[in-house]
């Protein structure tokens, strides 16, 4: 799909035209990854973070947040619960927490792999290539690291580097692929200063990176962050991407069209904007994954990346029942097995077929 077509869809306002986008995305989703919705059990293992991202509630300078780090045994208990609930994957997510030592993480991964058939996805931020390699050897299958925006200047404005100097995320994504991980990335939608052209570039980059997993969600202002109180204003004017539901569906649908085989979640951030049926609409407009939260309730309230997060007070069993019901109501089935990314001899971008937007 050409940049101009992606841009055309991002600017589209006609409900009738958008229906054709939703249908195309849904058709491509059915054709390439089928009707199963895979459940990934999310374990928010630590909310400590050494970074200072301008938008994120976990940033080091947010001293109003109580911090926690789960013990290996607590993480193992969540993984066992995931297995009992029939999930194929657990996702271990955290802030950039140097207190989660490479060895500790490797030990947890080894134990999950030894005890259960679960696929293990890590989402622990920017870590050294040596650590990523260690975790891969310990058995980790997949890694999520969003590039957040492909606009370099905007990226740098909202991501102060580690004091000691950090890693280039795109380079890390390449390294993850070389290490044999299934690689996931994604962006926030509606970052102040993000233009439609930037977002079209982001979607083109999903294809270029040939991602196995693509996670996107609206930017949600957090009052205890500089961006959340308007201190990091961007100047995109009329070209500013709205951080809304409709734009999120467009990006999910376009991600499906440019990467037909990718696993694409309907995210919690989307459910936060529309608790009633945000996830359902995501699942009928390109998404094929949801991530029920397995974090113990006493901790999940503290994993406050943004405020009013959906499901903060529900238990793992609540979310499990809720999501199963929602999936069944859509006429879809819960995925069985690990739900790995389908591999294809044909990479992302070249497979998405007709060129409806440009043709009109
Ligand atoms: N609003 C929406 N998404 C956010 N993230 C972090 N902070 C926010 C926020 N305020 C997203 C980032 C990160 C992911 C784990 O959560 O994209 O990669
Ligand atoms: Fe958590 Fe519905 S998914 S309550």
């Amino acid at each position: 799909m050409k940049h101009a077509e992606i841009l055309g869809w991002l600017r589209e306002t006609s409900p009738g035209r958008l229906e054709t986008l939703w249908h195309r995305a849904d058709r491509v989703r059915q054709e390439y990854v089928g009707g199963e919705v895979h459940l990934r059990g999310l374990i928010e293992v630590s909310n400590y973070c050494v970074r200072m991202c301008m938008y994120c509630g976990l940033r080091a300078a947010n001293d109003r947040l109580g911090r926690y780090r789960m013990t290996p045994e607590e993480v193992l208990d969540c993984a066992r619960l995931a297995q009992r609930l029939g999930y194929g994957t657990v996702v271990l997510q955290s802030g950039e927490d140097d207190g989660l030592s490479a060895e500790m993480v490797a030990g947890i991964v080894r134990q999950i792999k030894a005890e259960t058939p679960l696929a293990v996805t890590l989402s622990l931020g920017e870590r050294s290539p040596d650590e990523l390699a260690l975790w891969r050897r310990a058995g980790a299958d997949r890694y999520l690291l969003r590039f957040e925006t492909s606009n370099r200047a905007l990226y740098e404005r909202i991501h102060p580097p580690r004091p000691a100097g950090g890693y280039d995320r795109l380079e890390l994504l390449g390294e993850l692929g070389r290490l044999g991980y299934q690689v996931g990335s994604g962006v926030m939608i509606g970052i102040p200063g993000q233009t439609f052209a930037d977002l079209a570039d982001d979607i083109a980059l999903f294809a270029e990176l040939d991602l196995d997993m693509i996670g996107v969600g609206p930017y949600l202002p957090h009052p205890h962050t500089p961006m959340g109180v308007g201190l990091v204003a961007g100047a995109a004017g009329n070209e500013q991407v709205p951080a809304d539901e409709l734009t999120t569906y467009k990006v999910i649908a376009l991600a499906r069209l440019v990467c037909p085989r990718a696993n694409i979640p309907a995210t919690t951030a989307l459910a936060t904007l529309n608790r009633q049926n945000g996830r359902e609409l995501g699942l009928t407009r390109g998404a094929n994954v949801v991530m029920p939260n397995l974090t113990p309730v006493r901790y999940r309230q503290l994993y406050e990346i943004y405020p009013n997060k959906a499901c903060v007070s529900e238990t793992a069993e609540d979310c499990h029942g809720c999501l199963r019901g929602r999936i069944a109501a859509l006429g879809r089935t819960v995925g069985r097995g690990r739900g790995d990314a389908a591999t294809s001899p044909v990479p992302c971008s070249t497979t998405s077929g007709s060129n409806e937007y440009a043709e009109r």
Side-chain angles (χ1 to χ4, degrees), residues 259-282:
C259 289
R261 293 174 196 280
N263 284 316
I264 302 179
T267 56
T268 307
L270 176 57
T272 299
L273 278 190
N274 177 351
R275 284 178 150 71
Q276 206 202 329
N277 66 347
R279 268 184 289 236
E280 281 87 336
L281 288 171

Side-chain angles (χ1 to χ4, degrees), residues 209-327:
L209 294 171
D210 197 17
L211 296 174
D212 301 302
M213 301 168 282
I214 302 171
V216 300
Y219 160 63
L220 300 165
H222 190 304
H224 303 152
T225 64
M227 198 163 69
V229 295
L231 288 176
V232 197
N238 285 342
E239 290 299 302
Q240 172 65 48
V241 171
D244 65 4
E245 222 186 311
L246 182 66
T247 314
T248 305
Y249 299 131
K250 290 178 181 178
V251 178
I252 289 174
L254 292 164
R256 172 60 64 201
L257 295 181
V258 302
C259 289
R261 293 174 196 280
N263 284 316
I264 302 179
T267 56
T268 307
L270 176 57
T272 299
L273 278 190
N274 177 351
R275 284 178 150 71
Q276 206 202 329
N277 66 347
R279 268 184 289 236
E280 281 87 336
L281 288 171
L283 289 171
T284 55
R285 296 171 174 180
N288 71 321
V289 167
V290 287
M291 298 171 68
N293 199 325
L294 293 174
T295 313
V297 172
R298 65 185 177 284
Y299 296 138
R300 64 169 89 177
Q301 292 154 359
L302 298 173
Y303 204 82
E304 197 187 43
I305 294 176
Y306 48 79
N308 300 315
K309 221 168 100 177
C311 301
V312 273
S313 43
E314 278 77 9
T315 65
E317 286 79 5
D318 291 337
C319 290
H320 179 70
C322 168
L323 288 173
R324 278 191 169 267
R326 288 169 187 258
I327 291 164

Side-chain angles (χ1 to χ4, degrees), residues 92 100-110 122 124 127 135 138:
L92 275 46
L100 277 181
S101 73
E103 253 320 314
M104 186 196 295
V105 172
I108 293 171
V109 173
R110 271 186 222 110
L122 299 178
L124 308 175
R127 303 285 298 234
W135 299 337

Side-chain angles (χ1 to χ4, degrees), residues 53-58 93-94 123 144-148 159 169 186-189 215-222 225 227 269 303-307:
C53 304
M54 297 295 181
Y55 50 85
C56 182
L58 305 192
Q93 189 169 85
S94 72
S123 178
L144 303 174
L145 182 65
R146 291 188 181 179
F147 62 79
E148 313 293 359
H159 296 99
R169 281 205 191 179
V187 297
M188 284 187 297
I189 296 161
V216 300
Y219 160 63
L220 300 165
H222 190 304
T225 64
M227 198 163 69
Y303 204 82
E304 197 187 43
I305 294 176
Y306 48 79

